PDB file of all heavy atoms in Angstrom:
ATOM      1  N   PRO B   8     -17.963   2.739  25.230  1.00 97.00           N
ATOM      2  CA  PRO B   8     -16.972   2.086  24.370  1.00 97.00           C
ATOM      3  C   PRO B   8     -15.797   3.021  24.094  1.00 97.00           C
ATOM      4  O   PRO B   8     -15.954   4.241  24.126  1.00 97.00           O
ATOM      5  CB  PRO B   8     -17.746   1.804  23.078  1.00 97.00           C
ATOM      6  CG  PRO B   8     -18.886   2.777  23.079  1.00 97.00           C
ATOM      7  CD  PRO B   8     -19.225   3.017  24.525  1.00 97.00           C
ATOM      8  N   THR B   9     -14.643   2.452  23.860  1.00 98.00           N
ATOM      9  CA  THR B   9     -13.453   3.266  23.612  1.00 98.00           C
ATOM     10  C   THR B   9     -13.144   3.344  22.116  1.00 98.00           C
ATOM     11  O   THR B   9     -13.143   2.326  21.428  1.00 98.00           O
ATOM     12  CB  THR B   9     -12.240   2.668  24.355  1.00 98.00           C
ATOM     13  OG1 THR B   9     -12.554   2.608  25.743  1.00 98.00           O
ATOM     14  CG2 THR B   9     -10.999   3.526  24.153  1.00 98.00           C
ATOM     15  N   ALA B  10     -12.885   4.560  21.651  1.00 98.00           N
ATOM     16  CA  ALA B  10     -12.456   4.764  20.264  1.00 98.00           C
ATOM     17  C   ALA B  10     -11.085   5.396  20.267  1.00 98.00           C
ATOM     18  O   ALA B  10     -10.845   6.355  20.997  1.00 98.00           O
ATOM     19  CB  ALA B  10     -13.453   5.660  19.535  1.00 98.00           C
ATOM     20  N   LEU B  11     -10.190   4.841  19.464  1.00 98.00           N
ATOM     21  CA  LEU B  11      -8.859   5.431  19.320  1.00 98.00           C
ATOM     22  C   LEU B  11      -8.785   6.052  17.924  1.00 98.00           C
ATOM     23  O   LEU B  11      -9.103   5.397  16.934  1.00 98.00           O
ATOM     24  CB  LEU B  11      -7.784   4.363  19.496  1.00 98.00           C
ATOM     25  CG  LEU B  11      -6.326   4.849  19.555  1.00 98.00           C
ATOM     26  CD1 LEU B  11      -5.468   3.816  20.299  1.00 98.00           C
ATOM     27  CD2 LEU B  11      -5.708   5.115  18.199  1.00 98.00           C
ATOM     28  N   ILE B  12      -8.375   7.303  17.856  1.00 98.00           N
ATOM     29  CA  ILE B  12      -8.214   7.977  16.565  1.00 98.00           C
ATOM     30  C   ILE B  12      -6.773   8.427  16.429  1.00 98.00           C
ATOM     31  O   ILE B  12      -6.290   9.243  17.228  1.00 98.00           O
ATOM     32  CB  ILE B  12      -9.135   9.216  16.429  1.00 98.00           C
ATOM     33  CG1 ILE B  12     -10.587   8.860  16.781  1.00 98.00           C
ATOM     34  CG2 ILE B  12      -9.048   9.795  15.019  1.00 98.00           C
ATOM     35  CD1 ILE B  12     -11.533  10.067  16.718  1.00 98.00           C
ATOM     36  N   THR B  13      -6.068   7.938  15.414  1.00 98.00           N
ATOM     37  CA  THR B  13      -4.729   8.475  15.164  1.00 98.00           C
ATOM     38  C   THR B  13      -4.898   9.776  14.380  1.00 98.00           C
ATOM     39  O   THR B  13      -5.804   9.910  13.566  1.00 98.00           O
ATOM     40  CB  THR B  13      -3.840   7.504  14.364  1.00 98.00           C
ATOM     41  OG1 THR B  13      -4.412   7.304  13.070  1.00 98.00           O
ATOM     42  CG2 THR B  13      -3.697   6.164  15.068  1.00 98.00           C
ATOM     43  N   GLY B  14      -4.020  10.727  14.633  1.00 97.00           N
ATOM     44  CA  GLY B  14      -4.175  12.031  13.991  1.00 97.00           C
ATOM     45  C   GLY B  14      -5.471  12.686  14.446  1.00 97.00           C
ATOM     46  O   GLY B  14      -6.185  13.281  13.644  1.00 97.00           O
ATOM     47  N   GLY B  15      -5.750  12.576  15.744  1.00 97.00           N
ATOM     48  CA  GLY B  15      -6.972  13.176  16.295  1.00 97.00           C
ATOM     49  C   GLY B  15      -6.775  14.619  16.706  1.00 97.00           C
ATOM     50  O   GLY B  15      -7.612  15.180  17.423  1.00 97.00           O
ATOM     51  N   THR B  16      -5.668  15.216  16.262  1.00 96.00           N
ATOM     52  CA  THR B  16      -5.312  16.554  16.736  1.00 96.00           C
ATOM     53  C   THR B  16      -5.610  17.658  15.734  1.00 96.00           C
ATOM     54  O   THR B  16      -5.381  18.827  16.002  1.00 96.00           O
ATOM     55  CB  THR B  16      -3.799  16.598  17.041  1.00 96.00           C
ATOM     56  OG1 THR B  16      -3.103  16.144  15.870  1.00 96.00           O
ATOM     57  CG2 THR B  16      -3.451  15.711  18.216  1.00 96.00           C
ATOM     58  N   SER B  17      -6.093  17.292  14.555  1.00 96.00           N
ATOM     59  CA  SER B  17      -6.262  18.300  13.504  1.00 96.00           C
ATOM     60  C   SER B  17      -7.291  17.800  12.490  1.00 96.00           C
ATOM     61  O   SER B  17      -7.609  16.608  12.438  1.00 96.00           O
ATOM     62  CB  SER B  17      -4.899  18.518  12.819  1.00 96.00           C
ATOM     63  OG  SER B  17      -5.037  19.302  11.651  1.00 96.00           O
ATOM     64  N   GLY B  18      -7.823  18.713  11.716  1.00 97.00           N
ATOM     65  CA  GLY B  18      -8.626  18.361  10.546  1.00 97.00           C
ATOM     66  C   GLY B  18      -9.758  17.380  10.798  1.00 97.00           C
ATOM     67  O   GLY B  18     -10.531  17.513  11.747  1.00 97.00           O
ATOM     68  N   ILE B  19      -9.827  16.384   9.943  1.00 98.00           N
ATOM     69  CA  ILE B  19     -10.923  15.416   9.984  1.00 98.00           C
ATOM     70  C   ILE B  19     -10.906  14.614  11.286  1.00 98.00           C
ATOM     71  O   ILE B  19     -11.947  14.379  11.900  1.00 98.00           O
ATOM     72  CB  ILE B  19     -10.818  14.448   8.771  1.00 98.00           C
ATOM     73  CG1 ILE B  19     -10.926  15.229   7.453  1.00 98.00           C
ATOM     74  CG2 ILE B  19     -11.910  13.375   8.838  1.00 98.00           C
ATOM     75  CD1 ILE B  19     -10.555  14.416   6.206  1.00 98.00           C
ATOM     76  N   GLY B  20      -9.704  14.229  11.734  1.00 98.00           N
ATOM     77  CA  GLY B  20      -9.589  13.426  12.949  1.00 98.00           C
ATOM     78  C   GLY B  20     -10.106  14.160  14.169  1.00 98.00           C
ATOM     79  O   GLY B  20     -10.844  13.598  14.989  1.00 98.00           O
ATOM     80  N   LEU B  21      -9.756  15.443  14.272  1.00 97.00           N
ATOM     81  CA  LEU B  21     -10.211  16.246  15.407  1.00 97.00           C
ATOM     82  C   LEU B  21     -11.728  16.451  15.342  1.00 97.00           C
ATOM     83  O   LEU B  21     -12.432  16.303  16.352  1.00 97.00           O
ATOM     84  CB  LEU B  21      -9.478  17.598  15.415  1.00 97.00           C
ATOM     85  CG  LEU B  21      -9.894  18.593  16.499  1.00 97.00           C
ATOM     86  CD1 LEU B  21      -9.749  17.985  17.897  1.00 97.00           C
ATOM     87  CD2 LEU B  21      -9.080  19.883  16.397  1.00 97.00           C
ATOM     88  N   ALA B  22     -12.241  16.746  14.160  1.00 98.00           N
ATOM     89  CA  ALA B  22     -13.687  16.947  14.013  1.00 98.00           C
ATOM     90  C   ALA B  22     -14.442  15.660  14.354  1.00 98.00           C
ATOM     91  O   ALA B  22     -15.508  15.686  14.966  1.00 98.00           O
ATOM     92  CB  ALA B  22     -14.009  17.402  12.588  1.00 98.00           C
ATOM     93  N   LEU B  23     -13.855  14.553  13.984  1.00 98.00           N
ATOM     94  CA  LEU B  23     -14.484  13.265  14.289  1.00 98.00           C
ATOM     95  C   LEU B  23     -14.458  13.006  15.797  1.00 98.00           C
ATOM     96  O   LEU B  23     -15.436  12.511  16.376  1.00 98.00           O
ATOM     97  CB  LEU B  23     -13.724  12.166  13.536  1.00 98.00           C
ATOM     98  CG  LEU B  23     -14.344  10.786  13.502  1.00 98.00           C
ATOM     99  CD1 LEU B  23     -15.739  10.804  12.873  1.00 98.00           C
ATOM    100  CD2 LEU B  23     -13.436   9.820  12.725  1.00 98.00           C
ATOM    101  N   ALA B  24     -13.348  13.372  16.430  1.00 98.00           N
ATOM    102  CA  ALA B  24     -13.225  13.208  17.880  1.00 98.00           C
ATOM    103  C   ALA B  24     -14.324  14.002  18.589  1.00 98.00           C
ATOM    104  O   ALA B  24     -14.981  13.511  19.511  1.00 98.00           O
ATOM    105  CB  ALA B  24     -11.845  13.670  18.343  1.00 98.00           C
ATOM    106  N   GLN B  25     -14.537  15.237  18.116  1.00 97.00           N
ATOM    107  CA  GLN B  25     -15.559  16.079  18.756  1.00 97.00           C
ATOM    108  C   GLN B  25     -16.945  15.448  18.602  1.00 97.00           C
ATOM    109  O   GLN B  25     -17.778  15.517  19.499  1.00 97.00           O
ATOM    110  CB  GLN B  25     -15.519  17.488  18.155  1.00 97.00           C
ATOM    111  CG  GLN B  25     -14.357  18.297  18.742  1.00 97.00           C
ATOM    112  CD  GLN B  25     -13.823  19.366  17.803  1.00 97.00           C
ATOM    113  OE1 GLN B  25     -14.182  19.407  16.618  1.00 97.00           O
ATOM    114  NE2 GLN B  25     -12.951  20.226  18.312  1.00 97.00           N
ATOM    115  N   ARG B  26     -17.156  14.800  17.471  1.00 97.00           N
ATOM    116  CA  ARG B  26     -18.440  14.158  17.209  1.00 97.00           C
ATOM    117  C   ARG B  26     -18.644  12.919  18.088  1.00 97.00           C
ATOM    118  O   ARG B  26     -19.737  12.621  18.527  1.00 97.00           O
ATOM    119  CB  ARG B  26     -18.488  13.739  15.747  1.00 97.00           C
ATOM    120  CG  ARG B  26     -19.823  13.927  15.122  1.00 97.00           C
ATOM    121  CD  ARG B  26     -19.686  14.063  13.628  1.00 97.00           C
ATOM    122  NE  ARG B  26     -20.237  15.312  13.150  1.00 97.00           N
ATOM    123  CZ  ARG B  26     -19.663  16.501  13.222  1.00 97.00           C
ATOM    124  NH1 ARG B  26     -18.479  16.639  13.779  1.00 97.00           N
ATOM    125  NH2 ARG B  26     -20.271  17.557  12.770  1.00 97.00           N
ATOM    126  N   LEU B  27     -17.565  12.160  18.306  1.00 97.00           N
ATOM    127  CA  LEU B  27     -17.691  10.907  19.053  1.00 97.00           C
ATOM    128  C   LEU B  27     -17.616  11.120  20.561  1.00 97.00           C
ATOM    129  O   LEU B  27     -17.931  10.223  21.340  1.00 97.00           O
ATOM    130  CB  LEU B  27     -16.580   9.928  18.640  1.00 97.00           C
ATOM    131  CG  LEU B  27     -16.557   9.456  17.174  1.00 97.00           C
ATOM    132  CD1 LEU B  27     -15.430   8.451  16.963  1.00 97.00           C
ATOM    133  CD2 LEU B  27     -17.894   8.848  16.753  1.00 97.00           C
ATOM    134  N   ALA B  28     -17.193  12.344  20.971  1.00 95.00           N
ATOM    135  CA  ALA B  28     -16.859  12.579  22.381  1.00 95.00           C
ATOM    136  C   ALA B  28     -17.981  12.184  23.344  1.00 95.00           C
ATOM    137  O   ALA B  28     -17.720  11.555  24.358  1.00 95.00           O
ATOM    138  CB  ALA B  28     -16.455  14.036  22.582  1.00 95.00           C
ATOM    139  N   GLY B  29     -19.232  12.525  23.028  1.00 91.00           N
ATOM    140  CA  GLY B  29     -20.332  12.244  23.953  1.00 91.00           C
ATOM    141  C   GLY B  29     -20.497  10.772  24.307  1.00 91.00           C
ATOM    142  O   GLY B  29     -20.698  10.431  25.473  1.00 91.00           O
ATOM    143  N   GLY B  30     -20.364   9.914  23.307  1.00 94.00           N
ATOM    144  CA  GLY B  30     -20.692   8.502  23.528  1.00 94.00           C
ATOM    145  C   GLY B  30     -19.501   7.566  23.642  1.00 94.00           C
ATOM    146  O   GLY B  30     -19.671   6.348  23.685  1.00 94.00           O
ATOM    147  N   HIS B  31     -18.290   8.119  23.621  1.00 96.00           N
ATOM    148  CA  HIS B  31     -17.108   7.248  23.652  1.00 96.00           C
ATOM    149  C   HIS B  31     -16.061   7.768  24.632  1.00 96.00           C
ATOM    150  O   HIS B  31     -15.946   8.962  24.840  1.00 96.00           O
ATOM    151  CB  HIS B  31     -16.420   7.200  22.280  1.00 96.00           C
ATOM    152  CG  HIS B  31     -17.219   6.534  21.222  1.00 96.00           C
ATOM    153  ND1 HIS B  31     -18.259   7.153  20.558  1.00 96.00           N
ATOM    154  CD2 HIS B  31     -17.126   5.287  20.692  1.00 96.00           C
ATOM    155  CE1 HIS B  31     -18.773   6.316  19.675  1.00 96.00           C
ATOM    156  NE2 HIS B  31     -18.108   5.182  19.729  1.00 96.00           N
ATOM    157  N   CYS B  32     -15.307   6.851  25.196  1.00 97.00           N
ATOM    158  CA  CYS B  32     -14.025   7.229  25.771  1.00 97.00           C
ATOM    159  C   CYS B  32     -13.085   7.387  24.591  1.00 97.00           C
ATOM    160  O   CYS B  32     -13.028   6.512  23.726  1.00 97.00           O
ATOM    161  CB  CYS B  32     -13.490   6.122  26.666  1.00 97.00           C
ATOM    162  SG  CYS B  32     -14.480   5.884  28.122  1.00 97.00           S
ATOM    163  N   LEU B  33     -12.359   8.493  24.556  1.00 98.00           N
ATOM    164  CA  LEU B  33     -11.522   8.764  23.394  1.00 98.00           C
ATOM    165  C   LEU B  33     -10.043   8.663  23.714  1.00 98.00           C
ATOM    166  O   LEU B  33      -9.586   9.159  24.743  1.00 98.00           O
ATOM    167  CB  LEU B  33     -11.782  10.178  22.875  1.00 98.00           C
ATOM    168  CG  LEU B  33     -13.067  10.416  22.088  1.00 98.00           C
ATOM    169  CD1 LEU B  33     -13.139  11.881  21.673  1.00 98.00           C
ATOM    170  CD2 LEU B  33     -13.121   9.515  20.861  1.00 98.00           C
ATOM    171  N   VAL B  34      -9.315   8.038  22.812  1.00 98.00           N
ATOM    172  CA  VAL B  34      -7.862   8.083  22.854  1.00 98.00           C
ATOM    173  C   VAL B  34      -7.429   8.715  21.541  1.00 98.00           C
ATOM    174  O   VAL B  34      -7.801   8.234  20.468  1.00 98.00           O
ATOM    175  CB  VAL B  34      -7.240   6.678  22.987  1.00 98.00           C
ATOM    176  CG1 VAL B  34      -5.727   6.778  23.096  1.00 98.00           C
ATOM    177  CG2 VAL B  34      -7.837   5.940  24.177  1.00 98.00           C
ATOM    178  N   LEU B  35      -6.675   9.812  21.623  1.00 98.00           N
ATOM    179  CA  LEU B  35      -6.275  10.540  20.421  1.00 98.00           C
ATOM    180  C   LEU B  35      -4.762  10.585  20.334  1.00 98.00           C
ATOM    181  O   LEU B  35      -4.085  10.797  21.343  1.00 98.00           O
ATOM    182  CB  LEU B  35      -6.830  11.970  20.454  1.00 98.00           C
ATOM    183  CG  LEU B  35      -8.345  12.075  20.692  1.00 98.00           C
ATOM    184  CD1 LEU B  35      -8.768  13.538  20.798  1.00 98.00           C
ATOM    185  CD2 LEU B  35      -9.123  11.383  19.583  1.00 98.00           C
ATOM    186  N   THR B  36      -4.231  10.388  19.145  1.00 98.00           N
ATOM    187  CA  THR B  36      -2.776  10.480  19.000  1.00 98.00           C
ATOM    188  C   THR B  36      -2.393  11.602  18.049  1.00 98.00           C
ATOM    189  O   THR B  36      -3.170  11.994  17.194  1.00 98.00           O
ATOM    190  CB  THR B  36      -2.132   9.171  18.488  1.00 98.00           C
ATOM    191  OG1 THR B  36      -2.190   9.148  17.058  1.00 98.00           O
ATOM    192  CG2 THR B  36      -2.821   7.940  19.045  1.00 98.00           C
ATOM    193  N   GLY B  37      -1.189  12.095  18.215  1.00 97.00           N
ATOM    194  CA  GLY B  37      -0.643  13.146  17.366  1.00 97.00           C
ATOM    195  C   GLY B  37       0.762  13.457  17.854  1.00 97.00           C
ATOM    196  O   GLY B  37       1.235  12.838  18.818  1.00 97.00           O
ATOM    197  N   ARG B  38       1.414  14.398  17.181  1.00 97.00           N
ATOM    198  CA  ARG B  38       2.779  14.720  17.600  1.00 97.00           C
ATOM    199  C   ARG B  38       2.844  15.950  18.489  1.00 97.00           C
ATOM    200  O   ARG B  38       3.877  16.252  19.059  1.00 97.00           O
ATOM    201  CB  ARG B  38       3.670  14.966  16.385  1.00 97.00           C
ATOM    202  CG  ARG B  38       4.069  13.720  15.646  1.00 97.00           C
ATOM    203  CD  ARG B  38       4.598  14.090  14.286  1.00 97.00           C
ATOM    204  NE  ARG B  38       3.609  14.902  13.576  1.00 97.00           N
ATOM    205  CZ  ARG B  38       3.814  15.497  12.415  1.00 97.00           C
ATOM    206  NH1 ARG B  38       4.995  15.390  11.837  1.00 97.00           N
ATOM    207  NH2 ARG B  38       2.862  16.197  11.833  1.00 97.00           N
ATOM    208  N   GLY B  39       1.739  16.712  18.569  1.00 89.00           N
ATOM    209  CA  GLY B  39       1.767  17.995  19.277  1.00 89.00           C
ATOM    210  C   GLY B  39       1.728  17.831  20.788  1.00 89.00           C
ATOM    211  O   GLY B  39       2.180  16.820  21.320  1.00 89.00           O
ATOM    212  N   ASP B  40       1.151  18.842  21.458  1.00 88.00           N
ATOM    213  CA  ASP B  40       1.084  18.768  22.918  1.00 88.00           C
ATOM    214  C   ASP B  40      -0.325  18.401  23.380  1.00 88.00           C
ATOM    215  O   ASP B  40      -0.606  18.364  24.564  1.00 88.00           O
ATOM    216  CB  ASP B  40       1.528  20.098  23.541  1.00 88.00           C
ATOM    217  CG  ASP B  40       0.693  21.261  23.041  1.00 88.00           C
ATOM    218  OD1 ASP B  40      -0.290  21.011  22.297  1.00 88.00           O
ATOM    219  OD2 ASP B  40       1.012  22.420  23.368  1.00 88.00           O
ATOM    220  N   GLY B  41      -1.229  18.165  22.451  1.00 89.00           N
ATOM    221  CA  GLY B  41      -2.566  17.724  22.823  1.00 89.00           C
ATOM    222  C   GLY B  41      -3.468  18.851  23.288  1.00 89.00           C
ATOM    223  O   GLY B  41      -4.507  18.600  23.905  1.00 89.00           O
ATOM    224  N   ALA B  42      -3.082  20.106  22.978  1.00 91.00           N
ATOM    225  CA  ALA B  42      -3.940  21.228  23.357  1.00 91.00           C
ATOM    226  C   ALA B  42      -5.165  21.276  22.446  1.00 91.00           C
ATOM    227  O   ALA B  42      -5.098  20.874  21.283  1.00 91.00           O
ATOM    228  CB  ALA B  42      -3.158  22.535  23.243  1.00 91.00           C
TER     229      ALA B  42
END
Side-chain angles (χ1 to χ4, degrees):
Chain B
T9 302
L11 188 156
I12 309 178
T13 63
T16 53
S17 170
I19 299 168
L21 177 56
L23 191 59
Q25 282 152 350
R26 218 156 238 78
L27 297 182
H31 293 79
C32 293
L33 284 180
V34 183
L35 307 176
T36 85
R38 285 164 305 173
D40 57 5

